[in-house]
């Protein structure tokens, strides 16, 4: 269920979650190319817990809402999908209830692009960054900010177990309309 808001960002309500992370082959994980920071954290539950590929660990905020995860890139990148792992069954009031995603060149000009309401999610939650128009298939940005605006059961601190960020996979051979899947095909793809 998506509703359009007055400022152009899209508000979406998501229920459930997927237990298995499934992403199209034409997307690649971009998080390893970024510098990650958070607004606050409890000792032992810092930003590294968001990227360790372990669903048993989590980042826990420590302070007043909203809570922020900042993802900054050295160069402008194309981003298409944010995937977050949350677990209402384990985390209850620590589970995010409303998330806002912003993008921009830095902290000074972040613009809201998507607001998502989560209804007791357990598993991987997929948040597309695509716009409303067909040509808006990705966001071209230096920085992405994930903001937890509220939690379930009016909780104060939040738990996020994993965050993955995906962008389009670049074509390895420029000006070629298709991609080869093996090294042998790529080797013989150019006639001299």
């Amino acid at each position: 269920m998506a509703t359009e808001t007055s400022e152009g960002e899209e508000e979406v309500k998501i229920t459930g979650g997927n237990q298995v992370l499934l992403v199209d082959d034409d997307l690649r994980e971009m998080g390893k190319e970024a510098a990650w920071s958070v607004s606050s954290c409890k000792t032992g539950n810092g930003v590294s817990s968001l990227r360790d590929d372990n669903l048993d660990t989590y980042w826990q905020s420590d302070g007043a809402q909203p809570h922020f995860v900042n993802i900054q890139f050295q160069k402008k990148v194309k981003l298409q999908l944010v995937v977050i792992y949350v677990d209402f069954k384990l985390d209850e009031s620590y589970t995010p209830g409303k998330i806002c995603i912003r993008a921009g060149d830095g902290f000074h000009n972040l613009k809201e692009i998507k607001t998502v309401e989560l209804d007791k999610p357990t598993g991987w939650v997929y948040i597309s960054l695509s716009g409303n128009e067909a040509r808006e298939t990705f966001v071209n940005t230096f920085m992405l900010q994930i903001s937890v605006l509220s939690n379930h059961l009016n909780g104060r601190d939040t738990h996020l177990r994993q965050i993955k960020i995906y962008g389009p996979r670049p074509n390895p051979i420029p000006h070629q309309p298709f991609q080869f899947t093996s090294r042998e095909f790529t080797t013989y793809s150019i006639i001299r």
Side-chain angles (χ1 to χ4, degrees):
M1 174 179 175
T3 57
E4 191 68 28
T5 60
S6 61
E7 293 180 20
E9 77 271 2
E10 186 178 355
E11 187 165 323
V12 180
K13 184 163 186 166
I14 297 176
T15 58
N18 294 336
Q19 295 306 309
V20 178
L21 177 62
L22 297 172
V23 179
D24 292 339
D25 288 337
D26 60 343
L27 296 177
R28 67 180 173 136
E29 213 282 320
M30 304 283 290
K32 59 188 168 290
E33 298 175 14
W36 291 69
S37 63
V38 292
S39 55
S40 64
C41 66
K42 295 268 187 189
T43 305
N45 297 98
V47 69
S48 62
S49 298
L50 290 172
R51 303 289 303 157
D52 63 2
D53 291 323
N54 183 353
L55 300 179
D56 295 326
T57 62
Y58 51 84
W59 162 62
Q60 181 176 340
S61 63
D62 184 21
Q65 289 176 339
H67 307 296
F68 301 105
V69 177
N70 303 305
I71 305 138
Q72 295 176 286
F73 296 89
Q74 287 185 341
K75 60 182 182 176
K76 199 171 252 191
V77 295
K78 295 177 182 179
L79 301 175
Q80 226 172 334
L81 180 69
V82 173
V83 187
I84 300 172
Y85 191 89
V86 288
D87 195 336
F88 181 77
K89 292 176 185 171
L90 291 176
D91 298 330
E92 295 179 348
S93 67
Y94 291 95
T95 307
K98 191 170 189 177
I99 292 176
C100 176
I101 297 180
R102 299 178 182 102
D105 293 336
F107 289 101
H108 60 282
N109 71 345
L110 291 173
K111 179 183 174 197
E112 283 188 29
I113 56 173
K114 189 81 69 153
T115 300
V116 179
E117 282 193 41
L118 303 173
D119 185 22
K120 299 181 181 177
T122 298
W124 293 100
V125 175
Y126 297 81
I127 304 168
S128 172
L129 299 179
S130 299
N132 296 329
E133 297 180 28
R135 62 182 170 80
E136 296 177 352
T137 57
F138 56 82
V139 174
N140 204 13
T141 188
F142 279 102
M143 181 177 177
L144 199 70
Q145 183 180 71
I146 300 169
S147 175
V148 178
L149 303 176
S150 65
N151 289 339
H152 283 78
L153 308 173
N154 294 321
R156 183 180 136 198
D157 290 331
T158 194
H159 285 181
L160 289 176
R161 293 182 174 267
Q162 291 293 301
I163 298 177
K164 304 282 185 189
I165 299 174
Y166 293 92
R169 189 175 298 282
N171 191 345
I173 302 171
H175 311 296
Q176 192 144 7
F178 50 89
Q179 291 182 334
F180 292 110
T181 56
S182 71
R183 188 176 295 253
E184 289 88 3
F185 282 136
T186 305
T187 303
Y188 297 108
S189 66
I190 301 172
I191 299 174
R192 296 180 187 189

